[in-house]
Amino acid sequence: MENEIIENTLSESDVSIKPDYEAEILKIIRSNNAPKLMMNQLEDYHCNDIAGVFSVLTGQERKKMFRVCRSDMLAEIFEYFEEDDAAEYLNEMDIRKAASVVSEMETDTAANVLHQIEKEKRTLIIDSINPEVQKEIRLIASFDEDEIGSHMTTNCIIIRENLTVKQAMTALVNQAEDNDNISTIFVVDENDEFYGAIDLKDLIIARNTVPLEELIVTSFPYVYANESIDDCIEKLKDYSESYIPVLDNMNKFLGIITSQSIIEVVDDEMGEDYAMFAGLIAEEDLKEPLKQSMKKRLPWLIILLVLGMLVSSVVAMFDKVVASLTIIMAFQSLILDMAGNVGTQSLAVTIRVLMDENLTFSQKGHLVLKEMRVGLCNGLLLGTVSFLLVGLYIYFFKNNSWQFAYAVSGCIGISLVIAMVISSAVGTLIPLFFKKIKVDPAVASGPLITTVNDLVAVLTYYGLSWILLLNVLHFGN
């Protein structure tokens, strides 16, 4: 017991004395120490911790940081910023310092950050960078944001396929000083066409007498720079490689996409899809101004308003049914909610399946039929439950006859089955249609599917009520 008390006391003590890195870094920056001493002190901290204090620094304090820190250190710190924040801080530097920092950044990060800066200053910065880095940045910037080439980096080791093991090691050592990504060595032929890859460990332990050809993995995965991110994501996720080579249309080696970039790409795509599911045209963050947030939300809201008015006008068409059988209004939300939920489920399943670009027409047909079967089976089960429970509710709590109670609940049960089957089909067919016309299927967002299925449910429910309850059974007349 005594030992436990001591251990708990120690653990509480450890928590209480946990270093406050932000306060320590701010104290260093706000001190009057010589620049070299400040630099030496800051080097003891992780760049991510240093990046975290930038938002609380004044403009003058950031300028002090830019003068004190080496360009390579600032470049590493900038890797932890959002692109718009990095661009804002880069704008605060003089042209020469900004160019020096950009030169030390990963080329894909540099290209993306420069894209956020106004054209005049961007041109001045690029013109101040050495020609080799300029060429790499312009290459990456030449690709659209939705192309995989815009996320690649040239920070990697490249050797010729006709070298010996000793020559390959020499080439590795010569390039390693300027490149961090050395765990995989990429091999090209005399025309700079991609030939394969070598694991660093295999090269290090290989004897000089072993032909380099035996070390090269010629079946190494690769992607093309102008391929869309959507098309590449599934391919990239199938491999556990840290780096994937990126080629041009002539199969020449351009650069690599790192596992970190792959994660960021997947995260960005998921974020975009999530935004579309929520009825937004783009992602939002906490710092966005009101006007920008409204611009992202209004387009879909206007479309949904029009569709909502259409749903309301359909309900108005059945005013005679509502006037004669007011009780059916109480169960409208039941049909609408279930139809919307089923449609959204089918939408989610369909979009996930559509990530496979190799789906055949028959497979798509099978998907539609499968979703409709699921909707039918669930509809029959839930429709039966609704038939029994709603009938009991109307009889006992609304003091109606058994005949009337189960006529209404029967109409509700049948409507539920039909609405769920049609909603399953709609939730599958709409994203398939968008995919066919080359529009992101995620555009078939949850709110859109829900509103379309509301229209389906209203037509089904009130249409059946009008036919069965008013015209066949003559209730309410």
Side-chain angles (χ1 to χ4, degrees), residues 270-284 296-297 300-301 304 347 442-448:
M270 288 177 67
E272 289 174 10
D273 287 349
Y274 181 80
M276 290 179 181
F277 271 124
L280 303 172
I281 59 173
E283 288 185 86
E284 287 188 30
K296 289 180 178 180
R297 301 185 189 197
W300 268 118
L301 290 177
L304 296 173
L347 170 68
V443 172
S445 64
L448 174 61

Side-chain angles (χ1 to χ4, degrees), residues 2-214:
E2 186 177 342
N3 289 337
E4 288 181 11
I5 294 172
I6 293 171
E7 287 176 5
N8 291 335
T9 304
L10 287 173
S11 62
E12 289 174 6
S13 175
D14 289 342
V15 171
S16 63
I17 62 171
K18 183 180 178 181
D20 183 355
Y21 293 127
E22 181 177 317
E24 292 175 8
I25 293 168
L26 287 173
K27 185 177 179 180
I28 294 169
I29 295 169
R30 290 167 178 168
S31 71
N32 291 319
N33 292 332
K36 185 173 182 180
L37 177 59
M38 286 177 61
M39 179 66 201
N40 291 339
Q41 291 173 327
L42 288 172
E43 282 184 323
D44 292 334
Y45 296 90
H46 194 282
C47 288
N48 188 33
D49 294 322
I50 300 174
V53 306
F54 264 64
S55 59
V56 297
L57 295 175
T58 64
Q60 285 301 115
E61 288 170 341
R62 284 197 294 272
K63 287 181 180 179
K64 181 180 179 181
M65 278 282 291
F66 299 149
R67 294 189 183 102
V68 166
C69 294
R70 297 190 312 271
S71 296
D72 61 331
M73 184 177 182
L74 286 172
E76 191 173 347
I77 292 169
F78 270 53
E79 292 288 338
Y80 295 96
F81 292 135
E82 295 292 333
E83 289 171 8
D84 52 348
D85 290 333
E88 181 185 336
Y89 299 143
L90 205 63
N91 259 324
E92 295 177 356
M93 299 182 193
D94 62 77
I95 299 297
R96 186 177 298 176
K97 185 72 174 188
S100 179
V101 172
V102 169
S103 298
E104 296 290 341
M105 286 184 186
E106 292 284 351
T107 43
D108 57 333
T109 303
N112 292 333
V113 170
L114 286 170
H115 184 71
Q116 307 290 325
I117 296 176
E118 60 180 19
K119 187 175 180 180
E120 186 178 342
K121 185 161 187 178
R122 179 169 69 241
T123 303
L124 290 172
I125 292 173
I126 292 175
D127 288 343
S128 303
I129 298 171
N130 74 67
E132 189 62 33
V133 177
Q134 271 188 43
K135 182 181 176 183
E136 293 172 357
I137 290 175
R138 287 200 165 103
L139 170 65
I140 294 169
S142 68
F143 297 101
D144 293 336
E145 287 184 11
D146 63 345
E147 292 180 327
I148 206 73
S150 65
H151 294 271
M152 71 178 181
T153 178
T154 54
N155 183 341
C156 59
I157 307 294
I158 309 167
I159 63 172
R160 298 284 185 188
E161 47 92 16
N162 57 356
L163 302 180
T164 63
V165 168
K166 186 176 181 180
Q167 290 171 330
M169 280 298 301
T170 302
L172 168 63
V173 171
N174 291 338
Q175 295 180 51
E177 184 179 354
D178 300 319
N179 297 284
D180 303 322
N181 304 319
I182 66 171
S183 61
T184 303
I185 299 103
F186 297 97
V187 185
V188 297
D189 64 13
E190 66 276 4
N191 298 317
D192 290 329
E193 292 183 23
F194 178 62
Y195 188 78
I198 302 173
D199 187 89
L200 175 62
K201 180 182 176 182
D202 292 339
L203 182 61
I204 290 174
I205 65 175
R207 296 181 180 275
N208 289 338
T209 54
V210 174
L212 191 67
E213 182 74 30
E214 291 185 10

